[in-house]
């Protein structure tokens, strides 16, 4: 099958490394950087790549954005509030610029990829030195060099779909690493802007993914989070019959201690994937499976391509194969035309499944998506009331579902000190539920066994064994 995307050539990647070196020796380049990241794990991982390139250019991280010579906003546009927050913070930085004229500002990520946004930045945000889209990420060193040498504002937004391999990565957490397996999305859920700003779905070669995983293992990584907008459709378009389940099996055999992945689409949750989880030693017993709505009428308008029954059947199958599996989801309320009855269907589904956690959102119209021009947009007060009801229900249910861990042993990958106490640490168990337990600095980054002794709000409390 002919591919409609390109892997960026070795020669081009080498050319970018030369630009990074050229920036490094410029006497007037910034010395320190600070990255402000909005949005999903994909963006968080892009920021790690930006940091990798910045360090190749000779820069070091600043403690705060006020102190940095160079501030980069890695933006999100999935919902209006993420976009407004980013634009507000960018404007605020203009004030800092008044006292520090040498301050350099860049804006990148999904928002820049929106139609008309690059022009808006050029016209209304003239103080921004550099703006580039997600497709241009790998060209950051070249754009940086040009911006510094010309002194002009540089804006670059490509729309072609590429896969850049071998970018340097400066990871925030060494023990738990992100690993992108695929880019873009072809699903065109009617509310969602992602397919417009992240391009067509494209999978990395299995050999490239496995090589990166091997490198991470050698560096002592304990948990790998495989990333993709629709991670379980990995392999489509490679033309060799390779599937996400097959990739998981290979990673499992490799012996990566803990493997997680997100995000999965219910329509692509195959029996093969469930079997891969069932027979695995290292794939964690947890699954993030966004349902979005419990109403078939709304699911159809959302273009989700599954019904409530199909979703429930997948949940049943997952639970049969992996008893006690931790399930989480995403839900949107106030989608155009959502009636009180549709909303009740969502509430009922939440009750029926019993998720360990749920990310809940008020529908936010996004220009260019089909849902934005649908009839029956829901009034803000109705959506607000619905989300409050939904959150209250989920909290009540979570209190019940999490009780199954009481008295059980869990292995925690410790992330850091607990917010509540200096003698306690917290992290995630194998089911992706947060656990706080007694511990100290030596535990951070380690997998520690504990017994679950209590439940406070939505956090499990544990004692080490
Ligand atoms: N590809 C993933 C999926 O399908 O679940 C994640 C995409 S998106 C970054 C994460 C979540 O944002 C979605 O699952 C959806 O619940 C929510 N979302 C996307 N577009 C939205 C919109 N226009 N308004 C409100 N929530 C939205
Ligand atoms: Fe957006 Fe749907 Fe693609 Fe997820 S699957 S990124 S919600 S279009």
């Amino acid at each position: 099958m002919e591919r409609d995307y390109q892997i960026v050539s070795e020669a081009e990647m080498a050319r970018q490394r030369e630009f990074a070196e050229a920036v490094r020796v410029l006497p007037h380049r910034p010395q320190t950087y600070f990255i402000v990241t909005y949005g999903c794990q994909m963006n968080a991982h892009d920021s790690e790549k930006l940091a990798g390139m910045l360090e190749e250019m000779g820069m070091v991280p600043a403690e705060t954005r006020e102190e940095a010579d160079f501030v980069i906003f890695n933006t999100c546009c999935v919902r209006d509030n993420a976009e407004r927050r980013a634009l507000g913070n960018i404007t605020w930085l203009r004030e800092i610029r008044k006292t520090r004229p040498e301050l350099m500002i860049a804006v990148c990520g999904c928002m820049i990829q929106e139609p008309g946004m690059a022009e808006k930045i050029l016209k209304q945000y003239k103080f921004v030195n550099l703006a580039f889209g997600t497709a241009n990420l790998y060209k950051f060193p070249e754009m940086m060099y040009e911006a510094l040498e010309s002194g002009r504002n540089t804006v670059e937004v490509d729309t072609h779909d590429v896969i850049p391999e071998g970018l340097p990565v400066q990871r925030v957490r060494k023990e738990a690493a992100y690993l992108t397996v695929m880019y873009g999305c072809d699903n065109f859920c009617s509310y969602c802007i992602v397919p417009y700003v992240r391009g067509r779905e494209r999978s990395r070669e299995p050999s490239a993914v496995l090589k990166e995983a091997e490198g991470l293992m050698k560096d002592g990584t304990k948990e790998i989070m495989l990333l993709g907008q629709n991670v379980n459709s990995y392999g489509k378009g490679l033309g060799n019959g390779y599937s996400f389940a097959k990739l998981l099996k290979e990673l499992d055999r490799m012996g990566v201690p803990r493997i997680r992945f997100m995000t999965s689409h219910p329509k692509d949750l195959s029996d093969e994937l469930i079997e891969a989880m069932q027979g695995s030693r290292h794939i964690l017993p947890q699954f993030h499976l966004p349902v979005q709505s419990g109403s078939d009428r709304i699911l159809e308008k959302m273009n989700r391509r599954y019904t409530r029954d199909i979703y429930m059947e997948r949940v049943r199958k997952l639970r049969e194969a992996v008893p006690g599996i931790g399930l989480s989801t995403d839900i949107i309320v106030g989608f155009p035309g959502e009636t009180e009855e549709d909303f009740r269907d969502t509430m009922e589904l939440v009750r029926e499944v019993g998720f360990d956690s749920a990310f809940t959102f008020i529908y936010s119209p996004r220009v260019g998506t089909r849902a934005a021009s649908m009839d029956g947009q829901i009034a803000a007060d109705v959506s607000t009331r619905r989300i409050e009801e939904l959150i209250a229900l989920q909290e009540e249910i979570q209190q019940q579902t999490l009780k199954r861990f009481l008295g059980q042993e869990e292995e925690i990958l410790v992330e850091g000190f607990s917010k509540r106490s200096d003698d306690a640490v917290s992290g995630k168990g194998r089911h992706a539920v947060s656990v706080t337990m007694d511990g100290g600095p030596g535990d951070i980054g380690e997998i520690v066994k504990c017994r679950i002794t209590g439940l406070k709000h939505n956090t499990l409390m544990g004692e080490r064994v």
Side-chain angles (χ1 to χ4, degrees):
M1 199 202 312
E2 189 64 16
R3 286 187 195 164
D4 49 9
Y5 60 84
Q6 278 184 335
I7 297 175
V8 181
S9 69
E10 283 276 345
E12 174 59 22
M13 296 307 284
R15 198 174 143 266
Q16 292 302 326
R17 284 194 293 276
E18 279 167 26
F19 275 114
E21 188 50 38
V23 171
R24 180 192 273 277
V25 295
L26 283 180
H28 57 291
R29 69 159 166 84
Q31 301 294 318
T32 59
Y33 71 87
F34 192 93
I35 305 176
V36 185
T37 308
Y38 300 89
C40 64
Q41 285 86 356
M42 230 78 65
N43 254 20
H45 190 34
D46 279 351
S47 288
E48 293 183 328
K49 294 174 187 166
L50 286 165
M53 290 185 267
L54 284 159
E55 307 228 345
E56 275 197 348
M57 293 184 242
M59 286 169 238
V60 293
E63 289 280 313
T64 64
R65 75 177 90 167
E66 288 80 3
E67 289 165 337
D69 299 336
F70 185 21
V71 180
I72 302 115
F73 292 90
N74 187 9
T75 60
C76 166
C77 60
V78 166
R79 283 168 293 276
D80 182 50
N81 54 0
E83 196 167 306
R84 272 208 313 263
R85 255 189 318 134
L87 289 172
N89 280 325
I90 297 164
T91 309
W92 169 79
L93 217 59
R94 180 169 46 186
E95 297 306 307
I96 307 265
R97 165 76 72 64
K98 284 182 186 153
T99 53
R100 293 186 47 211
E102 75 288 355
L103 172 67
M104 200 171 168
I105 303 168
V107 185
C108 65
C110 293
M111 198 176 85
I112 299 297
Q113 212 77 35
E114 274 183 275
M117 187 53 83
E119 292 76 19
K120 183 172 167 175
I121 295 280
L122 270 178
K123 272 203 201 118
Q124 294 177 25
Y125 295 81
K126 289 199 174 91
F127 57 96
V128 169
N129 304 85
L130 183 59
F132 55 98
T134 51
N136 306 76
L137 187 89
Y138 73 96
K139 290 188 190 159
F140 181 34
E142 180 176 357
M143 292 180 293
M144 189 69 189
Y145 182 79
E146 275 169 13
L148 283 167
E149 277 300 77
S150 70
R152 280 194 306 272
N153 295 0
T154 305
V155 176
E156 283 211 31
V157 188
D158 285 345
T159 50
H160 59 260
D161 298 326
V162 292
I163 296 186
E165 289 293 353
L167 282 175
V169 184
Q170 193 64 35
R171 296 187 188 274
V172 174
R173 290 178 67 201
K174 197 167 169 289
E175 73 283 1
Y178 292 131
L179 197 172
T180 307
V181 300
M182 48 102 68
Y183 297 89
C185 181
D186 283 351
N187 284 324
F188 291 94
C189 299
S190 62
Y191 51 81
C192 185
I193 200 159
V194 169
Y196 303 92
V197 296
R198 288 262 176 189
R200 297 286 54 76
E201 185 176 302
R202 51 210 189 274
S203 296
R204 288 177 71 191
E205 285 295 331
S207 56
V209 174
L210 295 171
K211 191 171 152 208
E212 187 172 341
E214 246 170 62
L216 287 169
M217 263 183 80
K218 274 194 199 124
D219 288 348
T221 299
K222 301 202 168 71
E223 181 178 294
I224 293 183
M225 163 82 94
L226 306 172
L227 291 181
Q229 288 296 349
N230 189 10
V231 80
N232 52 346
S233 79
Y234 172 83
K236 267 186 214 159
L238 284 174
N240 55 7
Y242 208 92
S243 67
F244 185 57
K246 191 150 188 269
L247 183 71
L248 280 179
K249 280 185 198 156
E250 295 216 32
L251 288 166
D252 190 40
R253 263 198 299 276
M254 195 184 268
V256 180
R258 290 163 62 130
I259 306 165
R260 304 167 64 187
F261 50 89
M262 73 189 308
T263 296
S264 302
H265 196 299
K267 78 174 166 53
D268 296 312
L269 172 46
S270 65
D271 286 347
E272 190 198 6
L273 172 53
I274 297 178
E275 278 153 26
M277 290 188 77
Q278 187 173 24
S280 134
R281 278 186 303 146
H282 303 294
I283 305 166
L284 294 188
Q286 57 119 158
F287 213 103
H288 185 65
L289 193 62
V291 66
Q292 313 298 359
S293 169
S295 153
D296 281 345
R297 214 176 63 79
I298 295 297
L299 286 172
E300 194 176 347
K301 286 178 72 156
M302 285 177 164
N303 191 32
R304 288 292 286 180
R305 288 177 275 172
Y306 54 84
T307 59
R308 177 199 178 98
D309 280 352
I310 292 176
Y311 186 88
M312 291 307 296
E313 187 273 330
R314 294 287 83 187
V315 166
R316 257 192 306 277
K317 194 123 197 192
L318 275 171
R319 283 194 163 139
E320 251 170 50
V322 188
I325 190 168
L327 292 176
S328 55
T329 197
D330 293 349
I331 299 171
I332 296 176
V333 301
F335 185 81
E338 184 187 71
T339 62
E340 215 45 41
E341 199 185 334
D342 295 319
F343 174 62
R344 293 292 144 206
D345 285 347
T346 299
M347 294 283 276
E348 199 191 297
L349 180 136
V350 167
R351 229 181 262 283
E352 218 175 308
V353 176
F355 295 106
D356 284 343
S357 63
F359 297 97
T360 51
F361 308 106
I362 290 179
Y363 165 72
S364 167
R366 305 281 66 209
V367 175
T369 62
R370 273 203 291 133
S373 54
M374 281 181 187
D375 291 339
Q377 301 286 325
I378 305 295
D381 60 333
V382 174
S383 296
T384 305
R385 196 248 310 144
R386 286 182 186 165
I387 202 163
E388 282 169 0
E389 269 190 53
L390 179 61
I391 292 170
L393 173 66
Q394 176 55 30
E395 276 180 6
E396 179 194 319
I397 283 174
Q398 216 156 309
Q399 287 291 316
Q400 295 306 316
T401 59
L402 297 184
K403 277 189 185 148
R404 73 183 185 284
F405 294 108
L406 292 175
Q408 303 288 317
E409 267 190 20
E410 260 282 16
E411 284 174 2
I412 315 303
L413 178 54
V414 178
E415 278 176 47
F417 285 104
S418 155
K419 286 188 198 111
R420 299 199 189 116
S421 153
D422 286 345
D423 307 324
V425 291
S426 65
K428 285 214 166 67
R430 289 172 55 79
H431 298 77
V433 177
S434 296
V435 178
T436 297
M437 58 183 279
D438 51 312
D443 295 322
I444 295 171
E446 299 297 328
I447 294 176
V448 181
K449 257 197 191 155
C450 76
R451 186 170 302 283
I452 305 299
T453 52
L455 176 60
K456 254 194 202 162
H457 307 291
N458 287 323
T459 300
L460 295 169
M461 311 305 291
E463 273 170 19
R464 67 172 57 228
V465 288

